[in-house]
Amino acid sequence: MSTENGELSDLYQEVILEHSKAPRNFRKPAEANQHAEGYNPLCGDRCTVYINMDGDAIRDIAFQGSGCAISRASASMMTQILKGKTKAEAAKLFEEFRDLVTGQEAAPETADLGKLKVFSGVSKFPARVKCATLAWHTLQSALENKDTPVSTE
Ligand code: ZN
């Protein structure tokens, strides 16, 4: 077994493959009051994030789109972790997630990310960081209710 195979299996952990095949909250909620579109031209990933805000809290969050396994799994798991969270909590999680996938040293110590830690393997593949963060960038734009689509480039 080559090292490369080992790293690839790190990247495509079972939980990532499972979420990419059966993404959670993959829908367009009728009651969504804010949304944004995101595009990662490097890989061709597209996603639209829908949120239903209740004051400062994310009452409901869902997404639609098409893309690689990493981008789909990341969006799916993001919607799971963010339901019920406030804007500030979402911003903090985004910061931690970005640190994790870019290989910042502080990230492995943070407990809040939970299952999202499976994305730590992405840090070995700089080209895939944008796949993993696309949904989060799009979420940020949805929270700000921006009309301009987000591009990772
Ligand atoms: Zn991708």
Side-chain angles (χ1 to χ4, degrees):
M1 263 237 296
S2 73
T3 314
E4 196 189 337
N5 282 336
E7 287 183 357
L8 271 176
S9 65
D10 274 359
L11 181 59
Y12 295 104
Q13 289 205 24
E14 206 174 321
V15 59
I16 291 180
L17 290 174
E18 199 268 321
H19 272 268
S20 76
K21 278 182 211 150
R24 314 304 195 275
N25 302 303
F26 191 79
R27 58 191 160 84
K28 181 182 177 179
E31 72 281 12
N33 48 21
Q34 291 174 217
H35 77 276
E37 287 170 36
Y39 177 47
N40 171 18
L42 209 64
C43 180
D45 309 316
R46 289 180 187 279
C47 94
T48 305
V49 172
Y50 302 95
I51 47 179
N52 180 12
M53 295 304 290
D54 181 11
D56 198 39
I58 301 169
R59 183 192 293 174
D60 193 19
I61 172 166
F63 80 103
Q64 284 191 317
S66 60
C68 67
I70 299 287
S71 69
R72 287 165 65 93
S74 173
S76 170
M77 292 173 76
M78 179 190 79
T79 60
Q80 283 193 312
I81 201 168
L82 289 183
K83 205 173 277 191
K85 296 279 196 293
T86 64
K87 268 189 196 182
E89 286 167 336
K92 183 169 173 280
L93 282 165
F94 181 23
E95 216 170 280
E96 290 178 1
F97 184 73
R98 200 166 37 193
D99 283 353
L100 178 81
V101 297
T102 53
Q104 302 296 312
E105 298 212 359
E109 303 302 322
T110 58
D112 295 348
L113 288 172
K115 282 198 292 181
L116 290 178
K117 285 180 185 166
V118 297
F119 287 96
S120 64
V122 171
S123 64
K124 293 180 210 152
F125 301 86
R128 309 314 296 275
V129 169
K130 286 173 179 172
C131 302
T133 54
L134 174 65
W136 290 86
H137 284 292
T138 311
L139 166 84
Q140 204 170 37
S141 176
L143 285 170
E144 288 162 18
N145 217 4
K146 281 188 189 157
D147 278 339
T148 335
V150 191
S151 175
T152 55
E153 288 301 293

